[in-house]
Amino acid sequence: SLEAASIGFIIIIDRRRDKWSAVKASLTRIAGAFPGNLQLVFVLRPSCFIQRAIADIGIKLYRDDFKMKVPIIMLNSVSDLHGYIDKSQLTRELGGTLEYGHSQWIHHRTAIENFAMTVKTTAQMLQTFGTDLAETELPNDVQCTEDLLSAHTDHHSKLKDELKLAVKQGATLLTCIREPVTRSANSKLSPDELENVATVERLLAQLDETEKAFDQFWTKHHLKLEQCLQLRHFEHDFREVKLALDNLMEAQAAFADIGDSVTRVEQLLREQKQLEEKGQEPLDKAQSLALHGEQLIQNNHYAVDSIRPKCVELRRICDDFTNETKKKYDVLGKSLELHKQLDKASQWCEAGIYLLASQAVDKCQSQEGAETALIEIEKFLVTAKEYQLSNLKEFYNQFDTILTPEIKANAQRILQKLEDVQEMFDKRQVSLKKLAAKQTRPVQPVAPHPESSPKRASPKITRPAGVGHNSHSMVEKPKDIPGAKNTSHAHIEQISKKEVHIINELIETERVYVEELQSIIEGYASEMDNPSLGHLIPSALQNKKEILFGNLPEIYEFHNRHEIEHCIENPDLLARCFLKRKEDLQIYEKYCQNKPRSEALWRQCGDSIFFQECQRKLDHKLSLDAYLLKPVQRITKYQLLLKEMLKCSKNSEGTAELEEALATVLDIIKSVNDSMHQIAITGYEGDVSELGKLLMQGSFNVWTDHKKGHNKVKDLARFKPMQRHLFLYTKMLLFCKKREENTDGHEKTASYSFKNSLKMSTVGITENVKGDNKKFEIWYNGREEVYIIQASSVELKNTWISEIRKVLTGQLEACR
């Protein structure tokens, strides 16, 4: 025990039946290897006279050799030993009374040490398993989650079996040590046995504590795995239900017809009813799934931030479908009523026309006949109230915004017909009232008035859309008008001198630029394939023409193929020229991405005789590397010229196109700049080209907060930011560490060491962080990982938030 070890040890060497050599060997071993605090060594000399004499001499000669800092006392007999040590502390072999069985002590001690090693190994196994569990990433699908849960449960069961075996081993050992007391009530355990019992009990207690801690951890982990499985089932069901709802909403959105007749509207109402019945099942599933999600939230599920939006989305779609269905029924109901009214109006008009036509003219010439005809007309006009024809126009106006042109035309035709018939009745009534008045002279047959003859309303002639307007004025050449100026000349007169100067500069510099590209390709690139100059080309440059020149031939072909000289007559064409070739200008991005490799190769081989010979033949004042910068300078030149043109054409017709053209060039410059940073990313194992378009890149202060991390690490992370360079792609957000290094004595070049990545499909964003308006949060996996990001300015923060929001919104739209 530690208490006994602190007191120290006394060693008794019994060599009464041995030789001096055995005494010497024992003392040498003790001096070199005894690990404890040694107080005294007693040696019982050999009984043989000669060996005793040798021992006396030997102990004197070798005392210093033993290097023992304690006295060695040589004893002749056991009785001498009793003068130093009480018999109760000595075993029977040395004339004492101490009960001690060495073989039993060794057996127990070995068993205890084996058990202690078992306890230690078991604890390490549990700790390793716990670490593996803590570091395991949760799967993203149901099958993998079920497999992981099964694997972890099997491993847990095996470890529990190991624990049971260890506990059983300790209990068996404890029983063996206590066996004397168990066998006889009068027996007592020796101090060594009591100490062994205490040691085994301590180890068993340690094993019990380890098991309890492991069980607590496993309970939490198992719950999380079960919740993960619940989440994956929920997400799987959500995707299926969402797809069914989207199809339902799509079918409803396609159901836009409001009908052009009573029969058609009634058919549409039946189809709407069928769609509603068909949608009842996915709607019920959606409501049930949303209820299930809310139950998961109430049960303290860890992924609340992922579940709640899906529940909200499901209920929203259900509400949208229900509300839209009500609107459809309402619109179709009103459409049905409108068509019924229109049919009634049409029938009433036909009946009215028939009535007017059936009234004989000769019979109406008499007072009696006129009065009879008036009564017939008045009775018929009363039926107009029954048909509610007076409100038909107001009823129609309510639908004016949603009716199709065909329905509008039909309705307006019937309304016009109604007005015409009403007008016919008014005129007939006026005529008949005159005839019905008392006659002062004999009634003579007269020809009927034209207005009294029955007539049908002639359909209104509708002017076709576009009549009276030149719908091709943008492409057709206007006819010559005497005295008018020629259009193109008038346009040229309006061009300012500055615009002419800018166009001339663009055309001239473009011509020079194309010639320079041609000279580089023919004077350098083509010469690398010239066998007569092959011996001058350095070995490091062999078969690397594409690296040195990049896609320069492609840029030359593009500019040589597209002339812009005709822009001098119409500056507006300049903007269109850039917009038309927006996609083609991406070749500059490819060229700039290769530029670092080209420059590195030039630094290695630029002093070669080959390049000097080519430069001499071309009579160039500048070396090749200066000309290889021309494409980079050219795209910048376009930007400056477009800006100058925009200043000259403020508030003119072509301003919008010029602004769009400038934005296109600026976007290309930004893409070039971003791509130059992108190619410096190191350590990313995936393919950067598969991450989608690079939208933004820049340096930020970043704090991390991980729920699964150690508390001290979390506290430290809150106060000490990391310098990280972020790359925002449509599919991924990369966190890199910027590194700068000198390259062959040249200026520092930046590289970006990959550190972490987040899938944009699983992130969330918090736009405002309390205490700093330049900070925002990006969180992952239900806020299990939170990244607090601090921009250099509020404007930069807002720009990034806007881009991230666009990505997330685009994903949501794509999902819908």
Side-chain angles (χ1 to χ4, degrees):
S1 65
L2 293 175
E3 183 182 356
S6 63
I7 296 171
F9 297 90
I10 294 173
I11 295 180
I12 301 169
I13 303 174
D14 184 4
R15 288 292 181 261
R16 288 174 292 176
R17 298 180 181 181
D18 219 327
K19 299 178 182 179
W20 159 246
S21 59
V23 175
K24 179 183 176 185
S26 297
L27 291 174
T28 301
R29 193 163 197 177
I30 290 168
F34 192 78
N37 177 16
L38 192 57
Q39 298 288 337
L40 193 60
V41 177
F42 292 104
V43 180
L44 289 172
R45 288 186 180 91
S47 302
C48 177
F49 176 77
I50 296 174
Q51 290 298 325
R52 181 177 294 185
I54 294 172
D56 290 340
I57 297 170
I59 197 63
K60 292 177 183 178
L61 293 175
Y62 294 104
R63 184 182 293 274
D64 294 336
D65 291 346
F66 297 138
K67 297 180 181 179
M68 300 176 68
K69 296 182 180 179
V70 293
I72 301 173
I73 298 177
M74 304 294 290
L75 301 176
N76 293 321
S77 63
V78 172
S79 59
D80 293 342
L81 179 62
H82 294 165
Y84 291 95
I85 298 175
D86 190 86
K87 290 182 179 181
S88 62
Q89 298 295 314
L90 297 172
T91 60
R92 295 180 185 276
E93 293 87 347
L94 298 175
T97 60
L98 180 65
E99 292 292 337
Y100 172 74
H102 190 62
S103 60
Q104 185 186 45
W105 186 89
I106 288 293
H107 176 71
H108 286 171
R109 189 64 196 173
T110 304
I112 290 171
E113 289 180 2
N114 286 336
F115 179 57
M117 183 59 66
T118 300
V119 171
K120 181 179 179 181
T121 303
T122 304
Q124 288 176 344
M125 289 168 60
L126 295 178
Q127 184 177 6
T128 302
F129 182 55
T131 303
D132 292 342
L133 296 185
E135 294 177 352
T136 300
E137 289 190 11
L138 298 178
N140 292 325
D141 60 273
V142 173
Q143 187 59 48
C144 290
T145 306
E146 288 179 344
D147 294 343
L148 184 65
L149 180 59
S150 176
H152 283 188
T153 303
D154 291 344
H155 199 166
H156 169 260
S157 299
K158 290 178 182 177
L159 287 176
K160 289 291 287 185
D161 292 341
E162 293 287 342
L163 273 169
K164 289 178 182 177
L165 287 174
V167 172
K168 186 176 181 181
Q169 180 184 348
T172 303
L173 179 57
L174 195 61
T175 302
C176 291
I177 295 173
R178 288 175 174 170
E179 184 182 359
V181 179
T182 307
R183 193 168 55 245
S184 174
N186 297 327
S187 299
K188 291 185 178 179
L189 297 177
S190 66
D192 289 333
E193 290 172 334
L194 289 172
E195 183 181 342
N196 288 342
V197 168
T199 301
V200 174
E201 288 177 340
R202 187 181 73 252
L203 290 171
L204 283 169
Q206 180 181 339
L207 201 59
D208 184 59
E209 290 176 3
T210 302
E211 183 176 12
K212 287 179 180 178
F214 174 70
D215 286 343
Q216 290 177 355
F217 173 80
W218 169 252
T219 300
K220 293 179 181 178
H221 178 75
H222 189 257
L223 175 62
K224 189 165 187 178
L225 277 179
E226 287 184 331
Q227 287 186 342
C228 178
L229 184 58
Q230 292 171 348
L231 177 63
R232 299 304 172 235
H233 277 297
F234 177 79
E235 290 173 340
H236 178 267
D237 294 342
F238 173 79
R239 285 191 291 270
E240 288 187 347
V241 172
K242 181 71 165 50
L243 180 62
L245 290 177
D246 288 343
N247 292 335
L248 192 63
M249 292 298 289
E250 193 173 320
Q252 190 180 60
F255 199 85
D257 191 4
I258 63 170
D260 55 0
S261 65
V262 173
T263 305
R264 177 58 180 160
V265 175
E266 289 175 345
Q267 181 186 350
L268 290 174
L269 281 168
R270 288 193 295 270
E271 291 176 0
Q272 179 64 42
K273 185 66 176 177
Q274 291 173 358
L275 181 63
E276 185 182 18
E277 293 172 353
K278 179 183 176 183
Q280 197 57 49
E281 183 180 354
L283 288 175
D284 290 342
K285 285 184 179 179
Q287 294 287 0
S288 176
L289 187 60
L291 182 62
H292 176 58
E294 289 168 357
Q295 290 173 349
L296 292 178
I297 294 172
Q298 290 175 1
N299 293 333
N300 298 318
H301 198 285
Y302 70 87
V304 173
D305 292 338
S306 175
I307 297 172
R308 182 174 284 117
K310 292 180 173 62
C311 295
V312 173
E313 178 75 1
L314 289 173
R315 295 199 184 280
R316 182 193 66 76
I317 296 175
C318 291
D319 292 342
D320 288 350
F321 180 80
T322 303
N323 294 334
E324 194 63 28
T325 300
K326 289 179 180 178
K327 289 180 182 178
K328 294 283 185 186
Y329 276 126
D330 184 53
V331 170
L332 288 174
K334 290 181 178 179
S335 176
L336 181 63
E337 184 63 26
L338 175 63
H339 286 298
K340 285 182 178 179
Q341 290 294 330
L342 291 173
D343 285 353
K344 287 180 180 179
S346 181
Q347 292 170 5
W348 185 83
C349 290
E350 293 295 332
I353 293 170
Y354 178 78
L355 174 63
L356 292 174
S358 63
Q359 290 181 336
V361 177
D362 54 346
K363 291 182 180 180
C364 295
Q365 298 302 313
S366 65
Q367 182 178 2
E368 184 181 353
E371 288 176 350
T372 303
L374 276 172
I375 293 171
E376 289 178 351
I377 290 173
E378 287 172 357
K379 285 182 178 179
F380 183 79
L381 290 177
V382 171
T383 61
K385 294 181 180 179
E386 297 176 4
Y387 285 125
Q388 299 178 344
L389 299 181
S390 59
N391 300 326
L392 181 58
K393 192 165 187 178
E394 295 178 6
F395 192 66
Y396 162 76
N397 290 335
Q398 297 176 9
F399 293 86
D400 189 51
T401 55
I402 63 170
L403 296 177
T404 62
E406 293 80 4
I407 299 175
K408 281 184 179 181
N410 181 53
Q412 288 171 356
R413 180 182 61 79
I414 294 174
L415 288 171
Q416 184 62 49
K417 184 177 182 180
L418 187 63
E419 289 180 6
D420 293 343
V421 171
Q422 188 68 51
E423 184 182 355
M424 289 164 61
F425 273 112
D426 291 341
K427 290 181 179 181
R428 177 66 63 90
Q429 281 180 311
V430 170
S431 257
L432 290 173
K433 284 179 181 178
K434 289 179 181 180
L435 292 172
K438 289 184 178 181
Q439 303 285 334
T440 56
R441 62 177 183 269
V443 178
Q444 297 178 354
V446 295
H449 295 286
E451 63 268 18
S452 65
S453 62
K455 60 181 179 180
R456 294 183 179 271
S458 60
K460 293 256 181 174
I461 299 175
T462 306
R463 175 179 293 177
V467 174
H469 302 281
N470 184 6
S471 58
H472 301 285
S473 59
M474 294 299 294
V475 294
E476 289 184 357
K477 182 178 178 181
K479 295 179 180 179
D480 294 334
I481 301 173
K485 292 183 179 180
N486 182 277
T487 307
S488 61
H489 288 284
H491 184 73
I492 293 174
E493 288 176 4
Q494 293 174 3
I495 302 174
S496 67
K497 292 182 178 179
K498 190 169 183 180
E499 285 180 300
V500 174
H501 174 73
I502 294 171
I503 294 293
N504 284 334
E505 181 182 358
L506 174 63
I507 293 173
E508 180 60 23
T509 55
E510 184 77 7
R511 182 185 60 77
V512 174
Y513 176 55
V514 172
E515 290 177 356
E516 287 175 338
L517 293 179
Q518 183 179 8
S519 68
I520 295 168
I521 294 170
E522 293 178 356
Y524 285 97
S526 298
E527 288 298 291
M528 289 182 69
D529 299 325
N530 188 346
S532 62
L533 297 177
H535 63 285
L536 300 178
I537 299 176
S539 58
L541 193 60
Q542 295 287 345
N543 301 320
K544 292 184 179 178
K545 182 170 70 173
E546 289 75 12
I547 295 177
L548 183 63
F549 295 97
N551 63 328
L552 197 68
E554 185 181 6
I555 294 175
Y556 166 70
E557 288 297 328
F558 168 74
H559 285 276
N560 191 42
R561 189 170 62 249
H562 298 293
E563 298 292 342
I564 58 173
E565 294 178 355
H566 57 275
C567 295
I568 187 64
E569 294 185 2
N570 191 350
D572 293 342
L573 295 178
L574 178 63
R576 296 175 196 171
C577 182
F578 278 93
L579 294 176
K580 182 180 178 182
R581 301 182 179 106
K582 178 179 180 180
E583 298 299 327
D584 295 334
L585 287 171
Q586 298 298 325
I587 55 178
Y588 280 90
E589 182 176 342
K590 181 179 178 182
Y591 182 83
C592 292
Q593 284 179 345
N594 180 67
K595 201 71 179 71
R597 299 170 65 204
S598 174
E599 290 175 349
L601 188 60
W602 174 258
R603 287 195 295 269
Q604 188 178 359
C605 309
D607 296 333
S608 69
I609 300 175
F610 170 78
F611 291 118
Q612 295 174 11
E613 181 64 17
C614 292
Q615 183 178 350
R616 185 188 63 78
K617 289 182 179 179
L618 291 169
D619 196 21
H620 280 179
K621 294 180 180 180
L622 300 175
S623 59
L624 174 62
D625 60 327
Y627 288 96
L628 291 177
L629 283 172
K630 294 292 184 180
V632 182
Q633 297 166 348
R634 190 59 186 167
I635 198 70
T636 307
K637 182 70 173 179
Y638 289 145
Q639 171 196 353
L640 298 175
L641 289 172
L642 286 171
K643 283 183 178 179
E644 291 299 317
M645 283 293 293
L646 198 56
K647 290 178 183 178
C648 299
S649 60
K650 280 293 182 184
N651 301 321
S652 67
E653 291 182 3
T655 301
E657 288 187 324
L658 276 173
E659 288 176 343
E660 190 178 351
L662 177 58
T664 297
V665 174
L666 290 174
D667 187 51
I668 291 170
I669 292 174
K670 177 183 177 298
S671 297
V672 167
N673 183 45
D674 289 346
S675 65
M676 294 294 285
H677 288 274
Q678 173 182 274
I679 60 175
I681 296 175
T682 60
Y684 181 72
E685 295 182 357
D687 188 355
V688 177
S689 63
E690 295 178 356
L691 303 183
K693 183 180 179 182
L694 176 59
L695 304 174
M696 300 284 287
Q697 56 83 25
S699 296
F700 297 87
N701 288 332
V702 178
W703 291 261
T704 60
D705 188 357
H706 301 291
K707 288 183 180 179
K708 66 181 180 181
H710 194 275
N711 288 335
K712 290 184 179 179
V713 177
K714 289 166 66 177
D715 294 339
L716 177 64
R718 289 192 182 97
F719 297 102
K720 188 176 180 182
M722 297 178 291
Q723 300 297 318
R724 290 290 182 264
H725 201 89
L726 273 58
F727 292 86
L728 175 63
Y729 296 88
T730 53
K731 296 182 181 179
M732 192 85 76
L733 177 64
L734 300 187
F735 290 77
C736 299
K737 186 173 183 179
K738 186 176 182 180
R739 304 182 188 279
E740 292 183 345
E741 55 189 14
N742 290 323
T743 307
D744 300 331
H746 291 264
E747 62 182 6
K748 290 182 177 180
T749 57
S751 65
Y752 303 95
S753 178
F754 170 73
K755 293 296 182 183
N756 193 17
S757 64
L758 300 177
K759 291 182 179 178
M760 294 303 295
S761 59
T762 54
V763 303
I765 183 171
T766 304
E767 298 183 3
N768 296 303
V769 176
K770 188 176 181 182
D772 192 340
N773 59 359
K774 292 187 288 187
K775 287 182 180 178
F776 61 100
E777 284 184 352
I778 292 179
W779 41 268
Y780 189 65
N781 226 7
R783 294 190 69 83
E784 185 159 304
E785 297 178 28
V786 179
Y787 297 83
I788 303 171
I789 300 173
Q790 184 186 50
S792 57
S793 65
V794 178
E795 293 76 15
L796 181 61
K797 167 197 163 181
N798 292 335
T799 302
W800 273 72
I801 285 177
S802 176
E803 285 296 328
I804 293 173
R805 195 188 299 122
K806 287 179 185 177
V807 174
L808 299 182
T809 304
Q811 290 174 349
L812 182 59
E813 292 298 328
C815 182
R816 286 178 177 169

